[in-house]
């Protein structure tokens, strides 16, 4: 049940009820119809009329739906708090010199590349798309791994000046692992952005940046891609700075 006044025609007394219920939802769930009527200076009849406007036969059904609404809201609030806490720790770590030095090393490698190959697993496609649009502003060839024919046609001539940048929150994907191995064999520099440094993709890459976002986040959730998108922004600024020097 959505506790909203939208599309509702409330009388003055019903507005009193609505404001009270909205601000005292938990308390209302444990009240009787008479207690609610007394607390809002209305009547049991007004309460019943109010409940019917939320498609409830009576006050008991209204309270059941209100409890379910509160449970869903509590779950959403917990998810927001979890995301906020995880992001807070992530941004705190970005201020540490080790992380900034690692990013600067990666940025210098990207700045020297004439060909930048971008790849990701299915769960990190949002970060991949953002990186493709951002790095396309650089004075270099930027391509995604789906364009395999185009990429491989220039590997032989640009292998020593090419870099593969992989996005993988989970850090494990057979296709990406194979791609990293193939690029390494061809002499192409490989970089990965992963959630952990102990994953197979992190270990296979020549250079890895592990952002250590919350383990409780689903790999394909939007919040899990925020660190990678933020890192793309930082890398773009650092690469631009390197090329301006």
């Amino acid at each position: 049940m959505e506790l909203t006044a939208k599309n509702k025609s409330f009388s003055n007394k019903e507005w009193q009820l609505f404001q009270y219920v909205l601000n005292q939802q938990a308390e209302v769930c444990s009240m009787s119809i008479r207690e609610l009527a007394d607390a809002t200076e209305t009547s049991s009849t007004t309460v019943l009329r109010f409940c019917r406007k939320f498609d409830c036969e009576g006050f008991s059904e209204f309270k059941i739906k209100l409890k379910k609404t509160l449970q869903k809201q509590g779950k959403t609030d917990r998810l927001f708090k979890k995301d906020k806490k995880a992001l807070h720790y992530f941004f705190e770590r970005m201020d540490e010199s080790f992380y900034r030095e690692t990013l600067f090393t990666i940025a210098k490698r990207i700045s020297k590349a004439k060909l930048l190959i971008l790849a990701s697993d299915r769960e990190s496609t949002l970060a991949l798309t953002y990186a493709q649009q951002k790095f396309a502003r650089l004075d270099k060839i930027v391509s995604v791994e789906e364009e395999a024919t185009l990429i491989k046609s220039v590997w032989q001539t640009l292998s020593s000046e090419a870099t593969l940048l992989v996005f993988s929150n989970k850090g494990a994907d057979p296709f990406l692992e194979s791609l990293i191995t193939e690029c390494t064999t061809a002499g192409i520099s490989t970089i990965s952005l992963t959630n952990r440094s102990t994953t197979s993709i992190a270990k296979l890459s020549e250079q890895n940046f592990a952002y250590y976002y919350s383990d409780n986040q689903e790999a394909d959730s939007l919040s899990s891609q925020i660190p990678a998108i933020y890192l793309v922004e930082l890398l773009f600024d650092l690469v631009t700075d390197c090329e301006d020097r």
Side-chain angles (χ1 to χ4, degrees):
M1 178 179 71
E2 188 177 4
L3 195 60
T4 175
K6 187 179 180 180
N7 299 324
K8 304 285 193 305
S9 299
F10 289 151
S11 66
N12 290 336
K13 290 293 185 181
E14 288 168 348
W15 271 112
Q16 287 179 219
L17 268 169
F18 177 73
Q19 292 296 333
Y20 184 88
V21 172
L22 189 64
N23 294 315
Q24 309 290 338
Q25 295 179 48
E27 290 82 354
V28 170
C29 289
S30 61
M31 284 182 167
S32 66
I33 189 171
R34 172 44 55 193
E35 288 172 334
L36 179 59
D38 290 343
T40 56
E41 298 181 353
T42 58
S43 66
S44 298
T45 302
T46 302
V47 173
L48 288 173
R49 191 165 57 243
F50 174 81
C51 293
R52 292 191 185 105
K53 291 185 177 180
F54 289 91
D55 298 321
C56 298
E57 288 299 321
F59 186 53
S60 295
E61 184 181 355
F62 181 83
K63 288 197 295 182
I64 291 171
K65 288 185 176 181
L66 184 58
K67 285 179 182 177
K68 290 181 179 178
T69 300
L70 281 173
Q71 288 171 353
K72 289 180 181 179
Q73 183 179 317
K75 183 178 180 181
T76 301
D77 288 344
R78 288 192 294 273
L79 287 174
F80 274 124
K81 287 179 181 178
K82 187 185 296 182
D83 283 348
K84 184 178 179 181
K85 186 176 181 180
L87 287 170
H88 173 74
Y89 287 139
F90 165 72
F91 286 116
E92 271 195 341
R93 284 193 296 276
M94 290 304 99
D95 286 332
E96 296 178 16
S97 59
F98 169 77
Y99 289 97
R100 292 196 170 273
E101 287 169 7
T102 303
L103 277 177
F104 188 66
T105 300
I106 291 173
K108 285 194 291 185
R109 185 164 296 178
I110 293 175
S111 70
K112 293 177 181 179
K114 289 186 177 179
L115 168 65
L116 178 61
I117 307 166
L118 303 174
S120 78
D121 54 24
R122 182 181 61 82
E123 291 82 7
S124 300
T125 52
L126 182 61
L128 173 68
T129 302
Y130 189 79
Q132 185 181 11
Q133 294 175 348
K134 195 73 178 180
F135 288 128
R137 304 177 191 179
L138 300 173
D139 186 24
K140 59 180 82 270
I141 302 171
V142 179
S143 183
V144 294
E145 48 81 13
E146 284 89 348
E147 302 163 359
T149 304
L150 172 62
I151 295 170
K152 292 181 180 179
S153 67
V154 294
W155 274 11
Q156 290 183 344
T157 55
L158 286 178
S159 61
S160 62
E161 299 173 286
T163 294
L164 170 69
L165 178 59
V166 170
F167 299 89
S168 178
N169 191 58
K170 290 192 298 185
D173 181 87
F175 173 77
L176 291 180
E177 290 162 17
S178 175
L179 181 64
I180 292 170
T181 301
E182 187 175 357
C183 284
T184 301
T185 302
I188 295 173
S189 177
T190 57
I191 301 168
S192 61
L193 301 182
T194 59
N195 191 26
R196 291 287 181 271
S197 61
T198 54
T199 60
S200 55
I201 288 176
K203 291 179 178 179
L204 282 170
S205 305
E206 186 178 342
Q207 182 79 51
N208 171 254
F209 187 95
Y211 40 84
Y212 295 101
Y213 192 56
S214 174
D215 276 332
N216 295 322
Q217 303 300 324
E218 294 295 329
D220 59 351
S221 69
L222 176 61
S223 62
S224 71
Q225 298 193 56
I226 291 176
I229 292 173
Y230 178 73
L231 291 173
V232 169
E233 280 288 338
L234 285 180
L235 283 172
F236 178 80
D237 289 342
L238 289 171
V239 170
T240 303
D241 184 56
C242 288
E243 294 184 344
D244 287 342
R245 292 182 180 182

